[in-house]
Amino acid sequence: MISYKSEEEIELIRQSSLLVGKTLAEVARIIRPGIKTIELDKVAETFIRDHKAKPAFKGYNGFPYTLCISVNDVVVHGFPGDQELKEGDLVSVDCGTLLNGFYGDSAYTFAVGELDEEKRLLMERTKESLYRGIKVAKAGNRIGNIGYEVQSYVESFGYSVVRDLVGHGIGRNLHESPEVPNYGKRGDGIMLRQGLVICIEPMINLGVRQVTQDRDGWTIRTADGKPSAHYEHQIAIIKGEPTILSSFDEIEEVLKEKVVAAA
Ligand code: MG
Ligand code: MG
């Protein structure tokens, strides 16, 4: 069962989703070589609680942290910890909030210092694939159109799409129907319509699409050990058109300021 949202509900979801973007901007401010990933998690948790919201992932099916921090070959669901980030790491940070009864969920992949060309392009193209998917999330299209756009774009570079994990509906629950695969055929799956709120989140691997899970029951890695990138926006279909509820604006503002400061 899909729960379609009213415009009032979508506004509340937007508030939660915007808080995720602001939280990820706090992460952007401090992410650098030498920082422990648990430090990023603490900053995010404090920031979310200071804004009268709850970290949505903490305790979700037993997940122990505020952020999923996934470094290099970790695709998603990585645990923050004492691991120090180093120059050249590619780091996906996924964050969720619960505010006024509604969930926000968004993810961004960060470069730690300078990345090699291969990783930099993987990041850029994964982000571009997200926007290509969003563009076709219109009323009258089907869910498969989104996956088709993501898949055809990234596969043109020889990358692969993770199949075992997908995007999702969201609202009063963190994960709702429908599933939103990042692969598929145009015209397949449910028809998109007014009030649908979904997270589109391509997880794109440099090498093979197969993944493995660590013994911690969470951490998902690429089977071949090559890097993976992940971006996620939360969108709603309003007046037939895809509307992005989350925002990367604050994150990218902070990243730009850091480049200027370093120059
Ligand atoms: Mg999600
Ligand atoms: Mg997420």
Side-chain angles (χ1 to χ4, degrees):
M1 261 280 289
I2 297 171
S3 102
Y4 295 92
K5 278 79 180 176
S6 67
E7 294 201 8
E8 292 74 19
E9 288 171 320
I10 290 171
E11 276 317 302
L12 290 170
I13 295 172
R14 192 200 298 267
Q15 296 313 314
S16 194
S17 201
L18 290 175
L19 179 58
V20 175
K22 292 196 173 81
T23 307
L24 290 173
E26 293 302 305
V27 170
R29 225 176 278 290
I30 58 170
I31 196 167
R32 57 175 163 74
I35 197 163
K36 290 179 174 154
T37 54
I38 193 70
E39 296 176 60
L40 305 178
D41 192 75
K42 286 190 181 128
V43 163
E45 178 168 3
T46 303
F47 188 82
I48 291 167
R49 294 196 192 280
D50 283 349
H51 288 79
K52 299 184 170 44
K54 282 187 186 152
F57 298 168
K58 201 165 189 171
Y60 182 80
N61 292 335
F63 188 83
Y65 301 99
T66 293
L67 301 176
C68 297
I69 302 184
S70 306
V71 183
N72 297 327
D73 66 314
V74 178
V75 179
V76 285
H77 302 168
F79 282 4
D82 288 330
Q83 177 181 3
E84 284 181 13
L85 295 177
K86 53 187 198 314
E87 180 85 19
D89 281 343
L90 171 161
V91 186
S92 146
V93 182
D94 197 345
C95 180
T97 53
L98 175 61
L99 178 66
N100 298 324
F102 289 93
Y103 284 93
D105 181 13
S106 176
Y108 198 87
T109 296
F110 295 93
V112 180
E114 286 290 317
L115 292 193
D116 63 32
E117 173 91 348
E118 212 172 42
K119 282 182 176 170
R120 189 177 58 74
L121 288 173
L122 176 67
M123 273 181 60
E124 281 174 19
R125 291 163 175 169
T126 301
K127 187 161 75 169
E128 172 65 19
S129 78
L130 168 61
Y131 287 106
R132 287 179 180 234
I134 291 170
K135 210 169 169 190
V136 298
K138 301 175 178 210
N141 277 348
R142 290 182 182 268
I143 209 95
N145 293 54
I146 299 172
Y148 172 82
E149 289 301 320
V150 172
Q151 181 183 11
S152 57
Y153 180 69
V154 301
E155 286 185 353
S156 73
F157 302 105
Y159 303 152
S160 62
V161 175
V162 173
R163 309 277 179 110
D164 304 67
L165 299 123
V166 295
H168 51 93
I170 185 165
R172 290 194 181 274
N173 301 288
L174 180 58
H175 295 117
E176 299 183 357
S177 287
E179 291 195 339
V180 185
N182 298 299
Y183 57 93
K185 293 198 181 88
R186 285 178 179 143
D188 269 8
I190 64 140
M191 189 169 284
L192 308 174
R193 50 163 277 206
Q194 174 72 27
L196 184 71
V197 180
I198 53 174
C199 289
I200 304 178
E201 49 178 316
M203 291 152 260
I204 306 302
N205 295 351
L206 183 69
V208 300
R209 68 175 159 88
Q210 284 76 16
V211 296
T212 60
Q213 190 174 48
D214 285 6
R215 281 162 175 269
D216 62 19
W218 283 99
T219 309
I220 303 289
R221 290 177 195 274
T222 58
D224 60 7
K226 291 187 177 171
S228 181
H230 174 220
Y231 292 83
E232 175 177 21
H233 264 316
Q234 191 168 358
I235 71 144
I237 298 177
I238 304 174
K239 299 187 184 21
E241 293 296 317
T243 305
I244 302 177
L245 304 177
S246 42
S247 175
F248 294 160
D249 291 353
E250 283 101 337
I251 300 168
E252 290 178 347
E253 200 55 47
V254 168
L255 294 178
K256 248 184 261 163
E257 284 167 15
K258 283 172 85 172
V259 171
V260 171

